[in-house]
Amino acid sequence: MRGLTGEGSARTRGSIQAVSAALAVPTALALLVSGCGAGGTGARDEGPAHADSVTGSAATPSAAPSKSPDPVNAVKLVKDDPKVAPEVKRDLKPCVADEYPVDVSYGNLTSGSADDVVVNVLTCGDAVGVGSYVYREQDGSYENVFKAEEPPVYAEIDRGDLVVTKQVYDKGDPVSSPSGENVITYRWTSGRFAEKYRTHNDYGKVAGDSATPEPAS
């Protein structure tokens, strides 16, 4: 009986192990297929797709930079210009090293093929405008098409118009404290600058202003 029982037990254990092994094979295969499928899909969905997204974002072109006008030698323009007053040319000297007191602006004022050039000549000490000029490109050279030489004066480009500011002094006003200003807007019409608007602004007097008037010469 013990022998039979031992053989039966052995056969029984063998059958159970065989069934377990048989069941384990498809289970392992199923897990392997599932694992490969999940891993493959994850790599395809999250890897290459994400890289393509980053690449596409990096490839987006940025806005092209605005073209800067070719700089001109404003000092040479003024000094070689026969329309500029001799005293303006004489006083146009470097303030420090080779730095001249000139402000230069570029813009389309006369509807030409190139930008016009606005040059303001200032004093070194207090930056008072002593002359304002507009130069228009013509056949490779620049022509003076506007000048204002009644100091203090300053010219600017405003939305295609030329705006000239002239400070106004009452009797006894120091140079540093004008009483007001005239603002004149010019527009290029029929080959020249014509006045379109004029406004006057009075400056308020600050209480306790102890500025010393400029002594009479």
Side-chain angles (χ1 to χ4, degrees), residues 12-74:
T12 300
R13 286 195 299 273
S15 298
I16 292 173
Q17 291 173 352
V19 171
S20 299
L23 291 173
V25 171
T27 301
L29 288 175
L31 289 173
L32 179 62
V33 171
S34 175
C36 291
T41 303
R44 285 194 298 271
D45 291 346
E46 298 177 7
H50 179 68
D52 291 343
S53 175
V54 172
T55 302
S57 177
T60 302
S62 59
S66 301
K67 182 181 178 181
S68 299
D70 294 331
V72 301
N73 188 333

Side-chain angles (χ1 to χ4, degrees), residues 69-72 74 77 102-109 114-121 132-136 142 154-158 161-163:
D70 294 331
V72 301
L77 273 181
V102 295
D103 286 348
V104 185
S105 302
Y106 302 86
N108 190 346
L109 288 169
D115 279 338
D116 302 299
V117 183
V118 177
V119 181
N120 287 286
V121 180
S132 298
Y133 311 94
V134 178
Y135 293 93
R136 186 173 193 260
Y142 285 93
Y154 199 89
E156 298 174 283
I157 301 172
D158 183 10
D161 288 335
L162 177 66
V163 179

Side-chain angles (χ1 to χ4, degrees), residues 71-114:
V72 301
N73 188 333
V75 175
K76 180 175 174 55
L77 273 181
V78 171
K79 286 186 174 290
D80 292 347
D81 186 355
K83 294 182 179 181
V84 174
E87 55 270 23
V88 174
K89 295 181 183 182
R90 183 182 62 248
D91 294 338
L92 182 53
K93 300 176 181 178
C95 297
V96 178
D98 59 350
E99 296 293 330
Y100 285 83
V102 295
D103 286 348
V104 185
S105 302
Y106 302 86
N108 190 346
L109 288 169
T110 66
S111 302
S113 58

Side-chain angles (χ1 to χ4, degrees), residues 162-182:
L162 177 66
V163 179
V164 178
T165 301
K166 297 181 179 180
Q167 292 181 323
V168 177
Y169 290 85
D170 287 340
K171 185 177 180 180
D173 285 343
V175 174
S176 59
S177 299
S179 295
E181 65 181 11
N182 292 323

Side-chain angles (χ1 to χ4, degrees), residues 26 80 149 155 157 193 209:
D80 292 347
E149 295 179 324
I157 301 172
F193 282 105
D209 186 0

